[in-house]
Amino acid sequence: MKISSQKNQGILCIILAGFFFALMTFFVRISGELPTMQKAFFRNAVAAVFAVSMLARSEDGFKIKKTSWQALFMRCACGTAGLVCNFYAIDRLNIADANILNKMSPFFAIIASYFILKEKANKVEWLCVAVAFTGALFVVKPSFQMEFIYAVIGLLGGLGAGIAYTYVRKLGKQGERGPVIVMCFSVFSCLVTFPFLLFQFQPMSGRQLLALLLAGTCAAGGQLSITAAYTKAPAKEISVYDYTQVLFAALLGFLFFGQIPDWISVCGYVLIIGSAVFKWAYVNHGSPEKTS
């Protein structure tokens, strides 16, 4: 009963994280025509405040393991690049499309894990990757139009996130603390985007500033929720529920922007989410390690 309760709490936390991250994309979108780097800075500044506050109250403070620096840098660099690409796509695509392209990150992580962690995927997992990338093609819709370029940038956001998550896993194996990883990423992103903020800063209305602060607050809530989720239950058992973010984003896009994904994008959603669900079911119920 206790294990089941822990798993249910994990599922609830990861669905809550999906809701927070969908709200983050919504607030980024309604903040208006501001430079992408300006939006990224304010999003990360709020998260940095949350992370620094948590570490300041912790027993070990801001102590970082000596073996973590290289992986931390790669997590921060790839995560920042992925975030900027994601924000750029959010402003130019249907927000459900931008979210589903960002959710290609678990499949990119399978590829990255092969090179970074030497973790070999089996044939079924590679098949899921192939199906997911086929779905991404439906969403990207290769063409000579600008929407194609925006979608490719959104997909690159998923690539950056996937590599970043792989380094998060590596750091977790090395025993680095979660708040340290969040703080380093948030502060690093602020430092990278700050020069752009200085030279490209556009004055903001009170409404725009509030929207960006809410985006940062929702991002922090999403990070805290997803961290809590993975402390309650193994990723292989609950990660599929992270795709509820796409549903929340689609609902927000429809209610506030009148956005309705076309049937080609919907086919892509089905392939990507379907491959994720199949992989989850295979790992939990059908893999040889599970059934032996």
Side-chain angles (χ1 to χ4, degrees):
M1 288 293 292
K2 185 177 180 180
I3 294 176
S4 177
S5 176
Q6 288 282 318
K7 180 178 178 180
N8 288 337
Q9 289 177 32
I11 292 171
L12 181 61
C13 285
I14 204 166
I15 291 175
L16 187 62
F19 178 66
F20 276 129
F21 284 130
L23 275 179
M24 180 199 75
T25 62
F26 169 73
F27 286 123
V28 167
R29 184 65 177 260
I30 67 171
S31 64
E33 295 183 2
L34 296 172
T36 299
M37 291 297 192
Q38 188 168 334
K39 293 183 177 184
F41 175 84
F42 280 93
R43 176 257 191 248
N44 286 302
V46 177
V49 171
F50 273 93
V52 169
S53 299
M54 289 176 65
L55 287 174
R57 294 194 301 268
S58 68
E59 184 177 345
D60 293 327
F62 298 94
K63 183 179 179 181
I64 299 175
K65 293 179 178 292
K66 292 182 179 179
T67 56
S68 297
W69 285 105
Q70 182 180 4
L72 274 173
F73 174 77
M74 292 302 297
R75 185 271 179 269
C76 293
C78 295
T80 299
L83 176 71
V84 171
C85 288
N86 181 230
F87 274 30
Y88 187 87
I90 288 170
D91 280 338
R92 293 160 178 82
L93 297 174
N94 179 311
I95 62 172
D97 284 0
N99 274 268
I100 196 68
L101 290 172
N102 191 249
K103 286 303 173 187
M104 285 293 294
S105 57
F107 300 101
F108 281 119
I110 291 176
I111 300 172
S113 295
Y114 177 81
F115 296 100
I116 298 169
L117 302 175
K118 309 304 178 185
E119 293 179 348
K120 296 183 178 180
N122 59 36
K123 293 180 180 179
V124 172
E125 290 173 316
W126 284 120
L127 176 63
C128 290
V129 170
V131 172
F133 275 99
T134 302
L137 285 175
F138 278 81
V139 180
V140 171
K141 303 180 189 71
S143 69
F144 293 104
Q145 299 179 357
M146 284 304 298
E147 285 75 12
F148 170 58
I149 304 299
Y150 301 151
V152 170
I153 292 173
L155 188 60
L156 289 176
L159 171 62
I163 298 175
Y165 292 153
T166 305
Y167 278 104
V168 168
R169 176 169 166 75
K170 182 176 183 178
L171 287 163
K173 284 186 170 185
Q174 294 175 347
E176 192 55 83
R177 293 173 294 157
V180 168
I181 301 172
V182 173
M183 180 201 69
C184 289
F185 166 61
S186 301
V187 172
F188 180 91
S189 297
C190 285
L191 291 175
V192 169
T193 55
F194 185 70
F196 294 92
L197 182 71
L198 285 179
F199 292 105
Q200 298 180 344
F201 181 80
Q202 289 187 15
M204 297 179 290
S205 66
R207 177 178 174 275
Q208 288 177 309
L209 178 59
L210 178 61
L212 290 182
L213 292 176
L214 287 172
T217 302
C218 289
Q223 288 181 339
L224 292 173
S225 297
I226 204 163
T227 300
Y230 288 129
T231 60
K232 299 288 185 182
K236 67 179 183 179
E237 294 184 6
I238 64 173
S239 59
V240 69
Y241 295 97
D242 193 27
Y243 283 85
T244 55
Q245 178 182 336
V246 180
L247 302 180
F248 289 130
L251 180 61
L252 289 169
F254 173 73
L255 292 177
F256 294 95
F257 306 119
Q259 297 176 344
I260 303 176
D262 60 34
W263 69 271
I264 300 177
S265 289
V266 172
C267 288
Y269 297 177
V270 171
L271 287 173
I272 295 171
I273 297 176
S275 61
V277 172
F278 179 81
K279 179 178 176 294
W280 168 79
Y282 172 78
V283 168
N284 286 282
H285 306 292
S287 65
E289 294 84 1
K290 189 75 179 178
T291 57
S292 59

